[in-house]
Amino acid sequence: MLIYNMSSFLKILCCILISLLSALTPIQANELSEKLNFNGFLTLDYTVTSNDLRLISNSDQRVSYQADQPSLKNSLIGGQLTYQFTDDVSAVVQGKLYDGGDSQVSGLSHSIAELDWAYLSYDFGADLKLRAGRFQIPFMQGVELRNISFSRLWIRPLIPSSGAGGLKEYTGGELLKHISSGESNWDFQVVLGKAKHGLDEIDNKNIKLLSIRFQQDDFWLRTAVLATQYSVFTPTGQLISDSGNGLMFSLESEYAIGSYLFNAGYSKSTTDITPDNSNYYFSVAYQFTDITPYIYHSRFNQFFEPFSVQDAMGEAQGPPPPPQPSGNNDLYNWAVGAKYLLNERYAIKVQAEHIKEEDNASSPDVNGEGNAFSIVFEGVF
């Protein structure tokens, strides 16, 4: 759904923020009825860059900034509706509205409204749940809460997208099981479904994912393994391969020692025809009563390896695919910032970062390096 009036959207968003700022008191979830609840989230992001840069955003796409041109492009607003049919059965829908940049059709700035979640949940009891519908792929810890910047320490997500080799959301089912043993807590998640890829040329057949999360006191460790099958087409619709396979792995952890907070993560994907991905991040923070300063470094890599078009397409007729990229595409981030809690539901963040992009595989002309400074007001309501 496209809304071609970004200025109206921002005016509405600013009015909401002004109203919230005028009464910054803890706000409870909005109970619309006995069975229907609404929870909202918002981010007002003011960012300026020293050069033309593409930055990671709260949505699932990169955002382009022009040098010395302040922008609210990374702002968004969204909400979640939950309807409780019975004690065991509930339905959840969640979506967001954000800046989609300039339309390729009209050239005008436009907003994008997206539905990210829509599922039914059944609680079997004994900490066992079954959910079916549309979900974000839970490959990395922060993916499920990517749009809700208040849920994390940093202004922007630490990875450009889901980290799952270009896969975005999926339709299917998942089984969740929680086990408590003394001070230890285990969470298991099994996913089966069909995913949507960020490229139209990739038609996903299925994904299978298993994640395990262990938590004890101020420490947690999470790992996930994802396997997928897909078909690959040329931009003109010719089948290149009907037997693409991908295997992905992630490992993340958080540990609080006194007032220090350490976060680290790593992911790796190996795929046929499409580029392999790897990602790592590391963050150190110090927690005062209401303010938490932090530093972090991250790197996201795509490795493009040319494949034999003749072997992949066999006897297929038609023009060959466009030239294949070859080599590495790297995105580096170094940042320092702080999160200040206004109360339990609202915060202000500031962040200064240095970004370096080295695309030696497909678009050397987008190579860039520069600095960005951001001030963010965010919250849940």
Side-chain angles (χ1 to χ4, degrees):
M1 175 182 178
L2 301 182
I3 302 173
Y4 292 93
N5 197 337
M6 189 60 199
S7 61
S8 297
F9 160 59
L10 291 176
K11 289 177 182 177
I12 294 172
L13 178 58
C14 290
C15 289
I16 293 172
L17 295 175
I18 292 172
S19 300
L20 292 171
L21 282 170
S22 65
L24 278 175
T25 55
I27 301 176
Q28 300 300 318
N30 300 298
E31 188 174 289
L32 303 180
S33 70
E34 184 178 347
K35 294 186 176 183
L36 183 64
N37 282 316
F38 172 79
N39 292 278
F41 54 90
L42 56 87
T43 300
L44 181 61
D45 182 312
Y46 174 93
T47 294
V48 60
T49 62
S50 63
N51 304 81
D52 292 350
L53 293 173
R54 295 190 303 162
L55 303 183
I56 297 170
S57 74
N58 292 315
S59 61
D60 59 3
Q61 62 182 8
R62 302 273 293 281
V63 174
S64 297
Y65 291 86
Q66 294 181 335
D68 301 320
Q69 296 293 318
S71 174
L72 300 175
K73 290 181 179 180
N74 198 33
S75 301
L76 60 77
I77 187 168
Q80 181 186 88
L81 277 173
T82 303
Y83 188 82
Q84 198 72 37
F85 293 99
T86 67
D87 291 341
D88 303 324
V89 180
S90 62
V92 175
V93 292
Q94 178 178 312
K96 63 181 181 293
L97 179 67
Y98 66 96
D99 185 1
D102 294 337
S103 170
Q104 295 181 353
V105 177
S106 66
L108 300 175
S109 176
H110 69 287
S111 299
I112 295 178
E114 286 185 342
L115 181 66
D116 298 315
W117 303 79
Y119 64 87
L120 290 173
S121 177
Y122 182 79
D123 190 341
F124 292 94
D127 292 321
L128 180 65
K129 290 184 179 180
L130 177 66
R131 307 196 301 188
R134 178 175 181 172
F135 306 88
Q136 300 299 295
I137 296 176
F139 182 59
M140 303 285 283
Q141 172 77 12
V143 169
E144 295 191 350
L145 297 173
R146 180 184 188 89
N147 306 141
I148 308 174
S149 60
F150 182 79
S151 66
R152 60 177 176 268
L153 178 61
W154 318 277
I155 280 185
R156 272 175 284 279
L158 298 182
I159 56 176
S161 57
S162 68
L167 298 174
K168 298 170 62 178
E169 65 269 1
Y170 80 95
T171 301
E174 57 183 40
L175 189 67
L176 302 99
K177 173 63 177 177
H178 176 80
I179 299 175
S180 296
S181 178
E183 298 181 351
S184 301
N185 291 278
W186 294 84
D187 289 286
F188 299 87
Q189 185 175 23
V190 178
V191 168
L192 294 173
K194 181 176 180 179
K196 177 177 175 57
H197 198 278
L199 297 176
D200 294 335
E201 293 82 4
I202 309 298
D203 182 25
N204 185 260
K205 295 181 178 180
N206 62 75
I207 63 166
K208 299 177 282 290
L209 180 144
L210 170 65
S211 73
I212 302 173
R213 188 179 190 273
F214 169 78
Q215 181 169 3
Q216 182 171 337
D217 299 326
D218 296 324
F219 170 81
W220 61 257
L221 179 72
R222 182 184 185 273
T223 186
V225 177
L226 185 154
T228 183
Q229 287 78 42
Y230 51 89
S231 300
V232 183
F233 296 85
T234 68
T236 58
Q238 293 174 265
L239 179 66
I240 295 177
S241 174
D242 194 38
S243 58
N245 290 276
L247 183 63
M248 310 173 194
F249 166 80
S250 70
L251 181 67
E252 298 175 276
S253 182
E254 178 178 287
Y255 190 26
I257 305 176
S259 296
Y260 288 95
L261 182 66
F262 299 90
N263 289 84
Y266 174 78
S267 68
K268 173 69 176 179
S269 70
T270 302
T271 54
D272 297 333
I273 300 179
T274 60
D276 297 340
N277 292 348
S278 65
N279 175 76
Y280 70 77
Y281 66 83
F282 181 76
S283 170
V284 180
Y286 189 87
Q287 304 174 93
F288 293 96
T289 302
D290 295 320
I291 187 169
T292 304
Y294 60 83
I295 59 172
Y296 80 77
H297 169 58
S298 66
R299 177 197 179 219
F300 179 78
N301 168 266
Q302 287 184 305
F303 176 68
F304 295 81
E305 184 175 7
F307 58 91
S308 172
V309 176
Q310 185 66 32
D311 292 344
M313 298 183 65
E315 299 301 324
Q317 300 297 315
Q324 300 176 48
S326 176
N328 289 286
N329 180 354
D330 292 294
L331 177 65
Y332 299 90
N333 285 71
W334 296 266
V336 57
K339 178 177 182 178
Y340 175 69
L341 286 174
L342 298 170
N343 59 33
E344 62 195 27
R345 287 183 176 265
Y346 298 98
I348 293 175
K349 294 177 186 173
V350 294
Q351 182 171 299
E353 61 187 302
H354 181 73
I355 303 98
K356 183 178 181 181
E357 183 170 6
E358 296 179 346
D359 189 346
N360 298 313
S362 55
S363 303
D365 57 319
V366 304
N367 286 349
E369 184 171 5
N371 303 311
F373 177 75
S374 303
I375 302 176
V376 167
F377 174 79
E378 62 189 15
V380 293
F381 56 92

